[in-house]
Amino acid sequence: IKGHKKAQALYGRLCFEQGGDSNLVKAREYSRLAADAGDLGSQVLYAVMCSKGMGGDKDLKETQKHIKKAADQGDQNSQIKYPDICIEIGGRKNLREAQKYLKVLAEKGSLESQITYSEICIELGEEADLEEAQKYLEILADNNHLESKEKYAEMLQKGLGGSPNLTKAARYYLELAEEGLKNGNQALLENMFKYVEVSIKIGEEGNLIKAQKNLRRMRNQESAEMQFLHAEICMALSKV
């Protein structure tokens, strides 16, 4: 039936399933017609074909347009895929669009969405974005996502997305270093030096003594940096 959405959708799907160059061209054409008429399944199929260059050229703009339509109709896979397409296309406007959809997923507790959302917030870099990044990095850090924990500690140390909080930064750096000591992970062990540096900035005798004891746990990592930090702690202790 000419112009009938369901017929177009069905014919497009049948051509896609049959495969072959000529069938894929027809599948893309009729899926687009049904997609433009609001058929959810066709919106998804047409978007996939455009993203992979099936039945025509690869077209991420068309993919983005129709995945968004499917996402806004409530298709969960499209809601997950849409931000990825926005990020792939790139540009600040598309990052803002990805951020909006990722926030919904992050609020629902999606770990991957929380990670990507915080990364985009940092990249966008405005104060409100950095506050959002801090919010979700803290959630991830407290769930022991190590990369997020390190990013969060750095933001706390530098005062990105809020006032500096050296005490909290030191706690997270130490937790990361503890993981490094436990697993022999050199990259994580580097956080012991960050922990000590922050502890020296904080001052306070009890805090400095604790930092000194923790630094001694890395005797097998003897280095010029370690010797320097030992000296720095001793100097700081002599002043309190």
Side-chain angles (χ1 to χ4, degrees), residues 21 30 35 40 55-56 74 82 89 110 120 134 138-139 144 149 159-160 168 174 176 184 187 206 209 225 227 232 235:
D21 291 344
Y30 282 90
L40 175 59
Y82 179 61
I89 294 172
S110 166
I120 285 178
Q134 263 216 32
E138 182 175 18
I139 292 170
N144 208 35
K149 187 177 286 193
L160 299 174
K168 204 169 181 180
L174 182 57
L176 288 161
I209 291 171
E225 182 179 9
Q227 292 172 354
E232 285 280 298
M235 288 177 61

Side-chain angles (χ1 to χ4, degrees), residues 176-189 220-221:
L176 288 161
E178 295 277 5
E179 286 284 343
L181 286 166
K182 188 191 306 180
N183 302 321
N185 186 312
Q186 186 61 43
L188 289 174
L189 278 171
N220 61 338
Q221 303 286 323

Side-chain angles (χ1 to χ4, degrees), residues 91-203:
R92 196 170 183 84
K93 182 179 178 181
N94 281 314
L95 287 181
R96 282 288 179 207
E97 185 74 357
Q99 182 189 42
K100 181 171 70 174
Y101 281 77
L102 281 167
K103 183 172 182 177
V104 175
L105 297 170
E107 287 173 343
K108 291 179 179 178
S110 166
L111 177 68
E112 289 301 320
S113 297
Q114 289 172 348
I115 293 168
T116 308
Y117 178 67
S118 62
E119 289 172 349
I120 285 178
C121 288
I122 291 171
E123 186 171 349
L124 288 168
E126 294 181 11
E127 188 61 28
D129 298 315
L130 295 176
E131 288 174 7
E132 282 289 292
Q134 263 216 32
K135 174 183 173 181
Y136 282 96
L137 285 174
E138 182 175 18
I139 292 170
L140 291 161
D142 289 342
N143 283 312
N144 208 35
H145 185 266
L146 299 179
E147 185 179 345
S148 297
K149 187 177 286 193
E150 187 165 1
K151 286 180 183 176
Y152 183 51
E154 288 170 357
M155 291 188 78
L156 290 168
Q157 181 181 355
K158 296 174 183 177
L160 299 174
S163 300
N165 189 331
L166 297 183
T167 300
K168 204 169 181 180
R171 174 165 69 85
Y172 284 108
Y173 281 137
L174 182 57
E175 286 180 8
L176 288 161
E178 295 277 5
E179 286 284 343
L181 286 166
K182 188 191 306 180
N183 302 321
N185 186 312
Q186 186 61 43
L188 289 174
L189 278 171
E190 293 295 320
N191 287 285
M192 184 67 82
F193 299 132
K194 296 177 184 178
Y195 158 71
V196 172
E197 288 169 357
V198 170
S199 296
I200 290 169
K201 287 181 181 177
I202 296 171

